[in-house]
């Protein structure tokens, strides 16, 4: 299953063009940061490598970012925005209040984790202190809020109750852990031949019963 899911991963850009104008510098450096995190991991990321990839001087980033951490945070925030957008897009055309909407969110959650594994891991474990930037916590709450809203709809609740929050947390915990497992082919093989959608549909039915 891990290999199967990875084969569906969209290819990321293989390079960045050189000679960015000042107005594009911020975006160019964020893209360079993202690409390096995907290739080498956050621990091996360096500002100088990002500058080299973006084709700018080593002094250029400090026009937009305070330091290395600030660059990583900016890249994570953009990744969160992409993840939120893809989750919302996955709901299009699916009836309100149906369990299929929860399954669709889960499918896209896993897909993003496999599509951008470096950014996925960075946003959840790359910062020793979540207070590094309050926008990280806010972004995480916005993503979880999508699931809370959908679970409330499935349970016929007009607002987020404690039961809604509890069931949402169980669903998120399962899909989040599953995302890490599926990326590791050796771990994924322990589940045998499984179909991701069928698995998520089964879990959704059980947790919302």
């Amino acid at each position: 299953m891990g290999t199967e899911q990875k084969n569906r991963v969209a290819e990321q850009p293989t390079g960045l063009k050189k000679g960015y104008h000042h107005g594009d510098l911020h975006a160019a450096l964020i893209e360079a940061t993202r690409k390096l995190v995907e290739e080498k991991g956050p621990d091996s990321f360096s500002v100088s490598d990002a500058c080299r990839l973006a084709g700018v001087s080593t002094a250029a980033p400090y026009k937009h970012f305070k330091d290395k951490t600030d660059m990583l945070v900016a890249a994570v925030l953009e990744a969160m925005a992409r993840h939120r957008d893809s989750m919302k897009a996955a709901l299009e055309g699916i009836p309100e209040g149906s369990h299929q909407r929860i399954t669709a969110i889960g499918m896209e959650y896993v897909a993003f984790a496999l599509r951008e594994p470096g950014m996925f891991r960075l946003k959840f474990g790359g910062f020793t202190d979540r207070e590094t930037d309050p926008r990280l916590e806010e972004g995480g709450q916005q993503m979880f809020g999508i699931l809370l809203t959908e679970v409330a709809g499935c349970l016929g609740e007009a607002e987020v109750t404690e039961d809604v929050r509890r069931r949402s947390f169980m669903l998120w915990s399962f899909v989040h852990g599953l995302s890490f497992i599926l990326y590791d082919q050796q771990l994924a093989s322990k589940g045998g031949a499984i179909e991701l959608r069928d698995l998520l549909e089964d879990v959704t039915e059980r947790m919302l019963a």
Side-chain angles (χ1 to χ4, degrees), residues 99 102-103 171 199-209:
H99 287 189
I102 306 299
T103 299
L171 285 163
L199 176 61
L200 293 180
E201 286 178 350
D202 184 31
V203 169
T204 297
E205 292 294 330
R206 291 171 185 271
M207 293 192 178
L208 296 184

Side-chain angles (χ1 to χ4, degrees), residues 100-197:
Q100 286 77 16
R101 290 174 74 86
I102 306 299
T103 299
I105 289 176
M107 290 289 292
E108 183 50 43
Y109 193 94
V110 172
F112 183 89
L114 299 179
R115 189 165 60 242
E116 298 191 41
M119 298 311 299
F120 184 78
R121 283 159 174 73
L122 178 60
K123 71 179 180 177
F124 286 109
F127 302 100
T128 56
D129 185 357
R130 294 293 289 179
E131 296 303 318
T132 297
D133 191 309
R135 292 175 297 173
L136 292 172
E137 181 62 26
E138 180 183 353
Q141 289 298 330
Q142 289 174 356
M143 292 187 64
F144 189 49
I146 296 173
L147 180 59
L148 288 171
T149 298
E150 294 303 326
V151 170
C154 285
L155 297 178
E157 299 287 355
E159 58 184 24
V160 176
T161 63
E162 283 304 311
D163 186 46
V164 167
R165 187 171 294 277
R166 181 179 63 84
R167 292 173 190 256
S168 296
F169 184 77
M170 288 192 296
L171 285 163
W172 174 73
S173 297
F174 178 83
V175 176
H176 185 70
L178 182 64
S179 297
F180 281 96
I181 289 174
L182 291 181
Y183 185 73
D184 187 318
Q185 187 173 357
Q186 187 173 359
L187 290 177
S189 66
K190 295 184 184 301
I194 62 171
E195 172 55 45
L196 180 59
R197 184 176 294 279

Side-chain angles (χ1 to χ4, degrees), residues 35-74:
K35 189 170 189 298
L36 288 170
V37 168
E38 293 298 340
E39 289 181 351
K40 302 180 178 182
D43 292 339
S44 299
F45 171 77
S46 73
V47 175
S48 59
D49 282 347
C51 291
R52 190 176 304 110
L53 186 59
V56 299
S57 72
T58 54
Y62 301 103
K63 298 175 182 177
H64 297 277
F65 306 100
K66 294 182 295 184
D67 50 27
K68 170 183 173 179
T69 298
D70 202 28
M71 291 177 69
L72 289 170
V73 167

